[in-house]
Amino acid sequence: MLNTGDLVFIKGDPVEILENLGKGYKLIKFTNTGNIIKAHITNISTGEVRDRLKRDVRGVGFFGIGEYNCKHKSHQYWSNMFERCYNKVFQERQPTYVECVVADEWQNFQTFAKWFDDNFPTSGGVKYELDKDILVKGNKTYGPDFCCFVPKRVNQYLVSAKASRGVYPLGVSPAKQKPGKFEVRCADLSGVRRFLGHVIDPIQGFYIYKEYKESKIKELAEECFKNNTISQKVYNALLNFKITIED
């Protein structure tokens, strides 16, 4: 029997019984977060009551109070953010996500889900990804001021593969059949690596690569915008996207 003033524990969290509401229902308070809800005594006893303000997603994210539930399409996108930002094992495999964080407002799933509904593209048949650094290059924060949805192929084309290319600039590698020279290659929009020439200076080779890659990014932007798979904001960012030797 649970009485007003009793303190119980649900999944290790202290819960205070505030009031008897009748018919087996109690008004309870999760003391760690201050969240007050109505719950049936059976669910309290079995631990089937969730504190929606508890930061139980990688110790940062919380479900929040609102209309959205975990079946909403946005939930997987939201969960993935916390894996990228706060899962050390994931970051060992993908070191570009080290130091990434989720903005305060998006730590609440309800807030993120509302933004998702307002911004997710309407064009079907396309795999979209949540991007954090097309609008603001080098950005490390997932939040409404920085993020956008882009087709997966856009993100894939912008990946620099910095960790795997070695000591040479993007697009440049030693020419196997021409000692002392370097070859320049860059993938086209179909994924085929195109030969762009031989150079003596790796820096010169990078600028050949840069010119080709940026022209293809603009071409991709035009195609996606025409097909209504990117927003005006993303289109403008892609047209002005610059490849640097530090990438």
Side-chain angles (χ1 to χ4, degrees):
M1 184 68 179
L2 296 176
N3 299 310
T4 300
D6 284 353
L7 188 68
V8 298
F9 289 85
I10 298 178
K11 296 180 179 177
D13 296 323
V15 175
E16 182 183 357
I17 309 300
L18 296 180
E19 185 180 347
N20 179 19
L21 301 177
K23 297 184 178 179
Y25 286 94
K26 305 287 184 178
L27 191 67
I28 66 173
K29 176 182 178 180
F30 290 91
T31 59
N32 287 341
T33 64
N35 187 21
I36 297 175
I37 65 170
K38 172 184 174 181
H40 195 273
I41 189 171
T42 301
N43 294 332
I44 297 171
S45 300
T46 58
E48 297 176 5
V49 181
R50 181 178 186 181
D51 182 1
R52 288 175 170 246
L53 298 185
K54 181 181 179 180
R55 296 180 180 272
D56 54 4
V57 181
R58 292 288 167 188
V60 179
F62 62 99
F63 205 78
I65 300 170
E67 63 181 293
Y68 297 99
N69 59 45
C70 61
K71 294 182 180 180
H72 191 263
K73 187 175 181 179
S74 64
H75 191 263
Q76 189 61 56
Y77 287 83
W78 183 73
S79 298
N80 288 344
M81 285 193 303
F82 294 94
E83 292 303 302
R84 296 185 185 113
C85 294
Y86 305 107
N87 184 338
K88 300 303 182 184
V89 175
F90 178 88
Q91 290 179 350
E92 288 176 3
R93 300 194 306 267
Q94 301 284 345
T96 56
Y97 289 98
V98 172
E99 298 183 352
C100 286
V101 297
V102 177
D104 290 349
E105 56 265 57
W106 276 10
Q107 292 171 14
N108 183 341
F109 171 63
Q110 302 299 318
T111 304
F112 175 81
K114 177 63 168 62
W115 180 89
F116 182 99
D117 275 354
D118 291 341
N119 291 274
F120 195 78
T122 56
S123 297
V126 177
K127 171 67 174 177
Y128 289 101
E129 295 183 338
L130 181 67
D131 182 88
K132 66 176 175 19
D133 50 13
I134 286 179
L135 298 181
V136 181
K137 193 172 181 182
N139 170 60
K140 291 279 190 176
T141 300
Y142 280 93
D145 296 330
F146 309 105
C147 289
C148 58
F149 290 106
V150 297
K152 183 176 182 179
R153 66 187 294 247
V154 171
N155 252 349
Q156 288 178 328
Y157 195 69
L158 295 179
V159 170
S160 66
K162 185 174 183 178
S164 62
R165 72 170 181 264
V167 298
Y168 299 104
L170 279 168
V172 180
S173 60
K176 295 179 180 179
Q177 305 300 324
K178 293 181 179 292
K181 289 190 176 183
F182 298 87
E183 66 177 32
V184 185
R185 294 182 181 271
C186 183
D188 62 19
L189 296 182
S190 64
V192 176
R193 288 184 59 78
R194 300 294 182 182
F195 174 71
L196 304 180
H198 287 112
V199 295
I200 296 177
D201 181 7
I203 303 301
Q204 177 191 4
F206 164 74
Y207 283 102
I208 294 172
Y209 167 89
K210 170 183 168 70
E211 181 179 3
Y212 180 86
K213 181 86 171 191
E214 289 178 355
S215 71
K216 289 299 175 183
I217 292 173
K218 289 181 173 65
E219 185 180 324
L220 181 58
E222 296 289 354
E223 176 190 330
C224 291
F225 191 64
K226 181 179 179 181
N227 293 335
N228 197 34
T229 57
I230 59 174
S231 66
Q232 180 74 54
K233 186 184 292 188
V234 174
Y235 172 70
N236 292 339
L238 291 174
L239 290 184
N240 292 288
F241 195 89
K242 301 300 181 186
I243 306 294
T244 68
I245 202 164
E246 292 82 17
D247 287 340

